[in-house]
């Protein structure tokens, strides 16, 4: 499932470049030029990541950020800023933003940083304890009905990734990024093969292998 980016940027040339680069990389972009539009767009549609220009005609990206955080404590946020002084404010206020980039920037660089932010936010999502499932991150174990599943490293990482976000559909490239981050040569077939192995192990452990669902043309999810 494509990641959705909410972009607040009032300068058309900058916005156009960024939207083009983001869409090229498979993101779905919702673009607004005013602070108040950013808030209503987020309230209405949400987003996987929010990119906020700080200097906008009807206010400041920093104010948008503060109001946003009152509604959503976790959505990753990246700031775009033209001035070094603004960076000091971001850091000085300890807003807890995930990242910032200074203008002028390369749209590709911004895309790469957004991917990193998304990966980090997925990896740090709360461990899932769903029904009989227990994710033991410290022990690198998944337990089903009290029993640790005999998983290889990648099987564990794959199941843990799905378990942390029950119901969330991960496409194959996302799983390759998240699970095989140390193995860049991995192919989509590797993901499918591991899903198959994982389901077989779930079956052996007495669990329903259908908790790992295949979504045609989209990817996989855990449905506990
Ligand atoms: Ca601006």
């Amino acid at each position: 499932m494509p990641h959705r980016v909410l972009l607040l940027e009032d300068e058309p040339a900058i916005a156009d470049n960024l939207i083009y680069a983001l869409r090229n990389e498979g993101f779905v972009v919702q673009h607004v030029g005013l602070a108040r539009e950013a808030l209503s767009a987020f309230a209405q549609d949400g987003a996987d990541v929010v990119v906020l220009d700080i200097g906008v005609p009807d206010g400041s990206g920093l104010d948008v950020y503060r109001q946003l955080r009152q509604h959503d404590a976790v959505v990753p946020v990246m700031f775009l800023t033209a001035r070094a002084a603004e960076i000091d404010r971001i850091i000085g206020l300890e807003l807890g933003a995930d990242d910032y980039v200074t203008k002028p920037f390369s749209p590709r660089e911004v895309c790469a940083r957004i991917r990193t932010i998304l990966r980090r936010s997925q990896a740090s999502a709360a461990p899932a304890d769903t029904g009989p499932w227990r994710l033991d991150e410290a022990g690198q174990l998944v337990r089903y009905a009290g029993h640790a599943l005999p998983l290889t490293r990648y099987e564990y990482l794959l199941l843990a990734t799905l378990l942390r976000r029950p119901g969330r559909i991960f496409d194959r490239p996302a799983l390759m990024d998240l699970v095989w981050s140390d193995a860049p040569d991995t192919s989509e077939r590797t993901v499918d093969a591991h899903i198959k192995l994982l389901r077989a192990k779930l079956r052996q452990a007495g669990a329903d292998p259908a908790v790992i669902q295949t979504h045609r043309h989209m990817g996989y999810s855990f449905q506990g």
Side-chain angles (χ1 to χ4, degrees), residues 11 20 32-33 72 103 124 139 141 169 179 184 207 219:
E11 286 163 74
Y20 180 79
V32 293
D72 188 309
K103 298 174 183 179
S124 65
L141 286 174
I169 301 168
V179 175

Side-chain angles (χ1 to χ4, degrees), residues 9-11 14 53-57 103:
E9 170 60 69
D10 63 301
E11 286 163 74
I14 294 177
D53 180 24
I54 291 186
V56 285
K103 298 174 183 179

Side-chain angles (χ1 to χ4, degrees), residues 14-33:
I14 294 177
D16 287 350
N17 274 334
L18 206 45
I19 291 166
Y20 180 79
L22 285 163
R23 289 191 176 146
N24 239 352
E25 297 216 9
F27 292 101
V28 171
V29 185
Q30 183 172 15
H31 169 235
V32 293

Side-chain angles (χ1 to χ4, degrees), residues 3-76:
H3 289 297
R4 291 172 314 123
V5 179
L6 173 59
L7 169 65
L8 167 64
E9 170 60 69
D10 63 301
E11 286 163 74
I14 294 177
D16 287 350
N17 274 334
L18 206 45
I19 291 166
Y20 180 79
L22 285 163
R23 289 191 176 146
N24 239 352
E25 297 216 9
F27 292 101
V28 171
V29 185
Q30 183 172 15
H31 169 235
V32 293
L34 295 173
R36 62 169 185 274
E37 293 172 336
L39 287 165
S40 61
F42 187 79
Q44 198 173 328
D45 302 321
D48 295 310
V49 58
V50 179
V51 179
L52 298 175
D53 180 24
I54 291 186
V56 285
D58 66 331
S60 155
L62 294 169
D63 294 331
V64 172
Y65 178 84
R66 284 192 202 93
Q67 293 177 58
L68 199 65
R69 276 286 175 259
Q70 292 174 6
H71 303 286
D72 188 309
V74 295
V75 64

Side-chain angles (χ1 to χ4, degrees), residues 17-162:
N17 274 334
L18 206 45
I19 291 166
Y20 180 79
L22 285 163
R23 289 191 176 146
N24 239 352
E25 297 216 9
F27 292 101
V28 171
V29 185
Q30 183 172 15
H31 169 235
V32 293
L34 295 173
R36 62 169 185 274
E37 293 172 336
L39 287 165
S40 61
F42 187 79
Q44 198 173 328
D45 302 321
D48 295 310
V49 58
V50 179
V51 179
L52 298 175
D53 180 24
I54 291 186
V56 285
D58 66 331
S60 155
L62 294 169
D63 294 331
V64 172
Y65 178 84
R66 284 192 202 93
Q67 293 177 58
L68 199 65
R69 276 286 175 259
Q70 292 174 6
H71 303 286
D72 188 309
V74 295
V75 64
V77 175
M78 176 189 258
F79 286 109
L80 306 177
T81 174
R83 291 167 36 219
E86 289 174 335
I87 300 168
D88 292 341
R89 284 182 66 200
I90 297 169
I91 297 167
L93 289 167
E94 290 180 28
L95 283 173
D98 290 280
D99 207 350
Y100 62 86
V101 288
T102 52
K103 298 174 183 179
F105 50 73
S106 118
R108 287 185 59 190
E109 165 77 5
V110 174
C111 290
R113 303 265 286 265
I114 287 175
R115 285 206 183 284
T116 304
I117 288 175
L118 285 167
R119 200 172 321 158
R120 206 190 299 145
S121 82
Q122 286 175 346
S124 65
D129 288 340
T130 307
W133 300 90
R134 295 287 177 276
L135 179 59
D136 173 357
E137 305 250 17
Q140 300 258 295
L141 286 174
V142 176
R143 290 194 170 80
Y144 174 75
H147 298 286
L149 299 174
L151 303 177
T152 64
R153 179 162 166 271
Y154 287 124
E155 287 165 1
Y156 162 76
L157 291 171
L158 180 57
L159 184 54
T161 300
L162 298 172

